[in-house]
């Protein structure tokens, strides 16, 4: 039983910034990759950014240079700093984490509830 709680979404003007936060809680032995996906109306969910437990990062081409993902492993949290926001960044953003609840167990993928980000003038 693992829960991901997201916060930080909202309305921002083009060129503005937002910071999304996601905290994982529950039965957590270890966490591997944590990241962010987004889904716009009429579009399928796409990866925005992901960071492994070893701090390796991957970004969607559309957000490179503008978004930064970071982790606080001690708190099982992942952040997404979003700068220079564009209208096309408008979407519901979902936190994602691969979690091992027991040392001998498997990794399972968990999702947050989503937080709306709207970029509009």
């Amino acid at each position: 039983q693992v829960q991901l709680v997201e916060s930080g979404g909202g309305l921002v003007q083009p060129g503005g910034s937002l910071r999304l936060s996601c905290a994982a809680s529950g039965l957590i032995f270890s966490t591997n990759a944590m990241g962010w996906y987004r889904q716009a109306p009429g579009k399928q969910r796409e990866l925005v950014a992901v960071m492994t437990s070893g701090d390796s990062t991957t970004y969607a081409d559309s957000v490179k240079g503008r978004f930064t993902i970071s982790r606080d492993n001690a708190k099982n949290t992942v952040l997404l700093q979003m700068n220079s926001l564009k209208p096309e960044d408008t979407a519901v953003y979902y936190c994602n984490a691969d979690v091992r609840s027991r040392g001998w167990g498997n990794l399972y993928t968990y999702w947050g509830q989503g937080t709306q980000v709207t970029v509009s003038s």
Side-chain angles (χ1 to χ4, degrees):
Q1 182 75 248
V2 175
Q3 296 175 340
L4 304 180
V5 179
E6 301 150 314
S7 62
L11 175 64
V12 65
Q13 294 185 346
S17 298
L18 285 174
R19 179 181 293 178
L20 305 184
S21 177
C22 174
S25 63
L27 186 58
I28 301 173
F29 178 82
S30 64
T31 301
N32 280 24
M34 298 187 74
W36 294 91
Y37 288 69
R38 67 186 181 188
Q39 187 167 22
K43 302 291 183 65
Q44 67 178 7
R45 191 174 300 185
E46 64 175 351
L47 185 144
V48 177
V50 63
M51 177 175 281
T52 69
S53 60
D55 295 339
S56 177
T57 59
T58 300
Y59 294 92
D61 289 340
S62 59
V63 307
K64 287 180 179 177
R66 300 188 298 118
F67 292 9
T68 303
I69 189 170
S70 61
R71 294 177 61 161
D72 185 338
N73 292 321
K75 298 180 179 179
N76 292 314
T77 62
V78 60
L79 305 175
L80 184 68
Q81 178 67 46
M82 305 185 294
N83 299 325
S84 302
L85 283 162
K86 304 175 180 179
E88 50 262 46
D89 295 318
T90 296
V92 177
Y93 284 70
Y94 297 90
C95 180
N96 167 273
D98 293 333
V99 177
R100 194 186 311 275
S101 291
R102 305 180 190 276
W104 60 88
N106 296 322
L107 287 169
Y108 292 94
T109 300
Y110 296 89
W111 294 89
Q113 79 284 357
T115 184
Q116 177 71 47
V117 172
T118 302
V119 184
S120 176
S121 60

